[in-house]
Amino acid sequence: MAVSAFRGTRLPLFHHSQFPVARTVSRTSKKMIGGRNLKGFVISAQYSQTQDLFTSRLQSQIEKLPKLVEDIVQTSINTGPRGVTRLVQGVQAFVGVGGEWLNDLSKSTSASGGLPSELQLGLLSPLYLRKLFERMGATYIKLGQFIASAPTLFPPEYVKEFQNCFDKAPPVPFEEIRKILQEDLGRPIESVYEYVDPTPIASASIAQVHGARLRGSQEDVVIKVLKPGIEDFLVADLNFIYVVARIFEFLSPEFSRTSLVGIVKDIRESMLEEVDFNKEAQNIESFKRYLETMGLTGQATAPRVYKYCSSRRVLTMERLYGVPLTDLDSIRSLVSSPENSLITALNVWFGSLLACESFHADVHAGNLWLLRDGRIGFLDFGIVGRISPKTWAAMEVFLASIATEEYESMASALIQMGATNRDVDAKAFAKDLEKMFSSIQEIDTEIVVATARGTNSDTTAVAANVVMDERQMNALFLDLVRVSESYGLKFPREFALLLKQLLYFDRYTRLLAPNLNMLQDQRISIASNKRTNRYKDSFN
């Protein structure tokens, strides 16, 4: 009732006689126009406009207040007691990283020279914020990885630092894993598995993986199990992040223009999909259907999912045996041409971008193997991307223009792909892109001498050079985003996901096929000529 009465009136503060409004002044403006009070008239008019704008904004925010309060209350109810537990854990993590910062600060102040910027910013610096996220566990590690994969949304120094956000965690005792298995399968695990290795193959923040053998068929499998309590932590953390985003947008319209709440919703959807193993099972089956439809099952595969012993928290999959695409010695022992194996991997992945419902969006060496039978194995479909034909059409032209150094086509493709509310000077954009890409010549390419045979030190040296090259390529990508943003362009997250996978493939190319140009080699089918030509015409 108070709000509706307020809408129809001016605030009393601005109706006070000492602040005459423009209408009052205009009645006497003819008398004052030649005198000294003209300046006062202008000030009063400007003040009136300001007060009207302020009043309008304040009324708009008051209208939004009930919805904000409703959201906060409902979110708090959904969070429940687990929010208190996470608060305590958050305080512990904050104290721990704060102690590290104070220790580093004391060392720095005792040394000569100025204070480094990361120490000046404290826990808000990229370095210490990344450490805090790692201590906070699953949700914040995934949030850190999201930051690393979304350079169009976050400052470059944070994107670079969060590329080092490691998803490793101590394993949960097997008795707790056994309990989850029994609860979700609804029967003793001995009736499903003949054997389950109590020592995990891998342990990350959200899940851990155990080797096992099925009862009856004697097939080797791996069991991916969601760690206990992770869902509660996720709900509490994501609800907290959502409330903070809502409050920020309420207090500052600037945050509304950056769609902060929309970004948080995207993060929430992505994370909740990753902890629902039914979703991952669907992603795997979709990819396998793509392989079957395209006649690629003899070249690549993904693990078979055993539905009768899988659930939302348990995923039982065929165990594949092979080696990562970075293990050159082992690859050479399995196939005569590592280059051909890489070309197969590239063709299968590129083909999935449009022919499959989703594409594998995390093809690091742990998830892309050469199997013992010579096929390429795609593992772990927890992170996938979906790209529209329109975005991929622009991406095709972008990739082709990199290879041919046609910067006007590159600029047109990026403009087509990016969201903007203003006209872009394509020619000026193309010139800036040309300047930026000239820096590619300065990228270290020493690792083209991929001599993995020999001593262990040689192998270590090659790996170190590969990592350095990837960082340089990431820096180039961030430069691309920076230049594009200067023209008002905002790219979809899928653009960053795609380029991140291309950086992985660039690493494999330099190691396995140093003379291969994956954007120009005719053996690699990035897209059909018909489709490429059709969309090229639309950009020219």
Side-chain angles (χ1 to χ4, degrees), residues 244-266:
V244 170
R246 288 284 283 113
I247 292 173
F248 277 174
E249 282 203 354
F250 178 79
L251 293 178
S252 174
E254 294 299 322
F255 284 106
S256 296
R257 284 191 278 274
T258 59
S259 302
L260 184 61
V261 169
I263 294 170
V264 170
K265 286 181 177 179
D266 286 345

Side-chain angles (χ1 to χ4, degrees), residues 93-219:
F94 185 86
V95 170
V97 177
E100 286 187 44
W101 172 73
L102 288 173
N103 186 46
D104 294 342
L105 184 64
S106 63
K107 290 179 182 178
S108 182
T109 52
S110 61
S112 58
L115 204 62
S117 59
E118 64 265 19
L119 291 177
Q120 295 177 22
L121 290 172
L123 298 193
L124 291 179
S125 73
L127 173 65
Y128 293 103
L129 191 61
R130 191 257 300 169
K131 289 184 176 183
L132 180 62
F133 275 28
E134 289 177 341
R135 282 188 180 235
M136 286 290 289
T139 310
Y140 290 89
I141 288 173
K142 294 299 177 186
L143 178 59
Q145 292 174 337
F146 181 90
I147 292 171
S149 68
T152 61
L153 301 176
F154 301 97
E157 57 271 19
Y158 287 86
V159 172
K160 288 180 181 177
E161 182 60 43
F162 278 97
Q163 286 168 358
N164 302 317
C165 194
F166 298 113
D167 190 2
K168 294 181 180 178
V172 171
F174 182 67
E175 284 308 310
E176 295 186 42
I177 296 297
R178 172 188 283 272
K179 183 180 178 183
I180 291 174
L181 287 171
Q182 195 148 317
E183 286 176 357
D184 274 43
L185 299 179
R187 52 193 183 277
I189 65 171
E190 291 78 13
S191 66
V192 179
Y193 309 104
E194 183 174 290
Y195 169 76
V196 179
D197 190 346
T199 303
I201 297 171
S203 176
S205 59
I206 284 178
Q208 66 188 50
V209 179
H210 290 261
R213 184 176 298 118
L214 291 177
R215 180 167 292 281
S217 67
Q218 299 294 298
E219 293 173 274

